[in-house]
Amino acid sequence: MKILVCITNVPDTTAKISFTDNDTKFNKAGVQYIIGPYDDYALARAVELKEKLGGTITVLNVGEAESDPQIRKALAIGADDAIRVNCDPQDSYFTAAQIAAIAKDGSYDLILMGRESIDFNSGVVHSLVGEMLGIPSFSPVMKLDIEGSTAKFAREIEGGKENLEAPLPLVLGCQEPIAEWKIPNMRGIMTARTKPLKVVEPVAVDELATLDKYTLPAPKGACKMIPADQAETLISLLKTEAKVL
Amino acid sequence: MSILIFVELDNGSIKKTSLEAVAYGAEIAKVKGTTATVLAIGNAEASELASAGAYGASKVLHANASELATENAMAYASVLAAAVQQEGAEVVILPKSGLCDSMGARAAAKLGASIVSGVTELPDLTDGFKVKRSIYTGKAFATVAVKGAIKILGIKKNAIEAIAGSGSAEVVGFSPALGGGDFVAKVISQEKASGELSLTEADIVVSGGRGMKGPEHWQPLLDLAQSLGAATGCSKPVSDLDWRPHHEHIGQTGIKVAPNLYIACGISGAIQHLAGVNSSKVIVAINKDPEAPFFKAADYGIVGDVFDILPRLTKAVKESK
């Protein structure tokens, strides 16, 4: 079983979002970076599958050198080797094309990633990669088992879930509760230092979308507090003032 | 050229967020001096599909082959790409959803098209084609210059107000060749709560957190939701504890909602939860802790016991009808 796990290097979910350079760049000052939470679920399930079935896990990141600590963490959690495509991705199509270029050379049985990155929230890279490779893709996957060359998995659908079976190879966008996040242990951290991390340059892709500028939402007005003993007035305020009822 | 809009069907009816997508596409068509065509996949009456005309569509392509009756993002992507080619569409609009993100992306890869998901406003056409999209889970926006010859946009709920006019669209059958590769997956079973309002479509959402104290205490919340015609959601701890099903989990790693009214009951308002609700128009927080962070993100707040307040709100809603 050869598994490719794609991870994003993203600001922590509690990070304060601000911009610099005339609102054209994300302000990284003081921001803690993490493996994308959805990607972390994908990685955790990959490690469990490897323990059960054997095989190898390659972790892939499309990003700059600042991703390396997160890549090392993924190696410490249980990936065997890593590839970083050295660039600052700005568009889903571009990112997917980089992943597809790596995947073409690797003949992976499974390509796992999060359902979406938590910085751009597009939720399209898994499907782009699937189509670029000419193999099926599914998202969001919340349960995954492999039997021989068949994947048995569950996907969240509106108001419930759907149980599916499909032949490998597949691209899957993952989410909880596919596995519990794993915390690297000391042995993992030590061995991660010497595991191979290959840095490659990106393939050329037509420019399909570029970032112009960032904006922050307008600040929220003060919260109107309603005394508990007059809770009923909320309903009339929602009708006459907020006009949402 | 033309504008193509994909609409999602729910039991044969066009979803509300899809009508917004139609209105959005029709507005671009008007500015560009072209027509807006709708693509619908699956079972629906022609009269229902023709109603897209009231939102500005002139024609509806209806792909209704039996293989397409079950939602299948890969097959739907092939149908979408075929429709884009037949119509010579340069702009493709989809409502933002899991299905639409997946099928839009696969269609984009087939067509070499730009894909931008999470669009929140009509495009700025004064200098190229620029759209504003939500990023960092609603905590910021990015303006993106869309440069592909074909542009696929996933628009968020409330990106435009869908107001019904009077037109009716011509409904035309659409039967592109369907490939076996799109049907390799076998659907073994579906577990779906029946009769539930869709969280992402709902105009009002009532949501509960750990302050509800346990699954057996959910009735007052369900009563309020029912009186308001609202969908129900919950915080992550609640779904982690199995008090409520996972598909109700709203937040950073769950469902993102954008209703007109979001009522949070006994939810403290951790930043990860707020990330799932910050696109709501009006937020109400009810919590016994006056320091709960939710009050900083809410428009209306009540400090008090949810089990005292919820029944009184339900009564007030019923009396105001």
Side-chain angles (χ1 to χ4, degrees):
Chain A
M1 174 71 81
K2 274 188 81 180
I3 308 176
L4 181 68
V5 179
C6 308
I7 63 167
T8 53
N9 176 45
V10 291
D12 178 38
T13 51
T14 58
K16 188 165 163 41
I17 306 297
S18 65
F19 303 103
T20 61
D21 293 38
N22 231 351
D23 288 333
T24 58
K25 285 203 164 58
F26 179 72
N27 184 5
K28 294 172 183 168
V31 171
Q32 173 81 37
Y33 278 77
I34 56 170
I35 297 173
Y38 294 115
D39 311 327
D40 223 352
Y41 287 119
L43 175 65
R45 188 61 192 146
V47 171
E48 290 170 357
L49 289 172
K50 182 188 147 182
E51 279 166 5
K52 214 164 104 183
L53 307 165
T56 57
I57 300 172
T58 299
V59 61
L60 170 62
N61 170 259
V62 181
E64 296 178 309
E66 63 199 22
S67 294
D68 288 352
Q70 274 59 254
I71 297 173
R72 289 285 172 206
K73 188 182 170 198
L75 291 168
I77 287 171
D80 299 282
D81 60 349
I83 303 168
R84 180 167 62 79
V85 181
N86 187 32
C87 58
D88 177 18
Q90 303 229 325
D91 170 46
S92 311
Y93 199 105
F94 175 89
T95 307
Q98 305 310 322
I99 295 170
I102 299 291
K104 262 187 196 120
D105 296 335
S107 59
Y108 297 97
D109 301 298
L110 261 183
I111 300 175
L112 303 182
M113 63 186 80
R115 63 175 290 177
E116 66 184 52
S117 70
I118 64 158
D119 50 3
F120 278 71
N121 315 108
S122 295
V124 298
V125 169
H126 37 75
S127 304
L128 283 163
V129 170
E131 184 66 38
M132 287 169 180
L133 295 171
I135 61 175
S137 57
F138 298 90
S139 179
V141 173
M142 51 201 293
K143 188 169 173 281
L144 170 63
D145 281 298
I146 305 294
E147 280 178 27
S149 59
T150 303
K152 298 188 168 185
F153 56 103
R155 194 173 74 86
E156 188 160 79
I157 55 173
E158 223 174 72
K161 66 176 182 178
E162 181 178 69
N163 296 302
L164 295 145
E165 279 183 22
L168 301 177
L170 290 176
V171 184
L172 304 177
C174 304
Q175 71 169 28
E176 63 188 359
I178 194 165
E180 297 265 343
W181 285 333
K182 299 208 182 312
I183 298 161
N185 58 28
M186 190 45 77
R187 189 172 166 272
I189 294 167
M190 299 301 287
T191 53
R193 290 183 191 162
T194 53
K195 286 178 178 172
L197 192 175
K198 191 164 88 179
V199 178
V200 301
E201 291 306 310
V203 295
V205 179
D206 285 344
E207 196 172 71
L208 290 169
T210 52
L211 277 170
D212 221 34
K213 70 171 176 18
Y214 295 107
T215 39
L216 290 169
K220 192 95 187 168
C223 180
K224 193 171 205 168
M225 298 308 292
I226 298 159
D229 57 0
Q230 296 164 31
E232 290 81 0
T233 55
L234 171 70
I235 302 303
S236 48
L237 283 171
L238 291 174
K239 274 198 168 163
T240 54
E241 190 178 75
K243 297 187 168 60
V244 290
L245 285 184
Chain B
M1 74 155 280
S2 71
I3 313 292
L4 185 71
I5 304 117
F6 173 72
V7 294
E8 280 188 283
L9 301 173
D10 180 22
N11 280 324
S13 299
I14 302 175
K15 287 188 183 181
K16 184 168 170 274
T17 43
S18 290
L19 292 174
E20 291 177 359
V22 176
Y24 186 102
E27 193 58 37
I28 300 175
K30 208 186 327 172
V31 175
K32 292 247 185 192
T34 179
T35 53
T37 301
V38 161
L39 171 67
I41 304 178
N43 293 319
E45 299 286 338
S47 58
E48 167 66 15
L49 298 178
S51 71
Y55 297 88
S58 51
K59 184 168 78 178
V60 177
L61 301 177
H62 187 201
N64 197 18
S66 57
E67 301 96 304
L68 299 171
T70 322
E71 222 177 82
N72 175 335
M74 289 181 285
Y76 282 26
S78 298
V79 175
L80 177 63
V84 168
Q85 278 164 336
Q86 176 183 299
E87 298 296 313
E90 286 178 17
V91 179
V92 182
I93 309 297
L94 299 95
K96 179 152 175 82
S97 75
L99 169 69
C100 289
D101 282 342
S102 293
M103 67 182 278
R106 290 197 73 116
K110 286 177 201 286
L111 299 163
S114 297
I115 177 155
V116 181
S117 176
V119 174
T120 58
E121 286 175 10
L122 281 166
D124 175 3
L125 303 173
T126 52
D127 173 24
F129 193 108
K130 290 182 181 172
V131 291
K132 194 172 169 185
R133 57 169 303 202
S134 169
I135 56 170
Y136 295 105
T137 327
K139 286 179 250 176
F141 300 95
T143 304
V144 178
V146 193
K147 297 178 172 171
I150 300 171
K151 303 166 179 70
I152 301 181
L153 307 181
I155 68 155
K156 274 189 85 168
K157 188 165 186 273
N158 293 332
I160 189 171
E161 201 177 346
I163 300 167
S166 57
S168 177
E170 176 199 4
V171 180
V172 186
F174 184 58
S175 317
L178 300 171
D182 290 337
F183 297 92
V184 291
K186 264 199 302 203
V187 177
I188 305 301
S189 62
Q190 278 195 351
E191 300 160 32
K192 212 170 169 178
S194 60
E196 262 183 34
L197 266 173
S198 149
L199 261 180
T200 47
E201 290 278 311
D203 284 330
I204 305 175
V205 174
V206 182
S207 192
R210 254 184 309 199
M212 295 298 296
K213 296 199 168 108
E216 68 278 18
H217 301 306
W218 231 257
Q219 200 54 45
L221 187 154
L222 300 177
D223 290 342
L224 177 63
Q226 198 187 14
S227 71
L228 290 166
T232 56
C234 68
S235 65
K236 180 165 160 47
V238 164
S239 81
D240 284 351
L241 289 163
D242 274 333
W243 290 2
R244 300 294 296 171
H246 187 267
H247 66 257
E248 280 198 2
H249 161 205
I250 295 171
Q252 177 100 46
T253 55
I255 290 176
K256 283 91 184 165
V257 295
N260 292 332
L261 174 60
Y262 184 78
I263 303 178
C265 312
I267 304 177
S268 65
I271 194 161
Q272 291 89 345
H273 183 77
L274 296 180
V277 306
N278 55 17
S279 301
S280 309
K281 270 194 199 152
V282 173
I283 294 176
V284 174
I286 306 168
N287 205 297
K288 67 176 186 330
D289 175 10
E291 303 297 320
F294 225 132
F295 291 121
K296 290 199 175 70
D299 301 280
Y300 298 94
I302 304 177
V303 177
D305 177 10
V306 284
F307 299 108
D308 163 45
I309 289 163
L310 287 177
R312 286 167 53 205
L313 292 179
T314 306
K315 190 159 168 269
V317 171
K318 286 182 178 159
E319 282 168 1
S320 71
K321 275 183 183 160

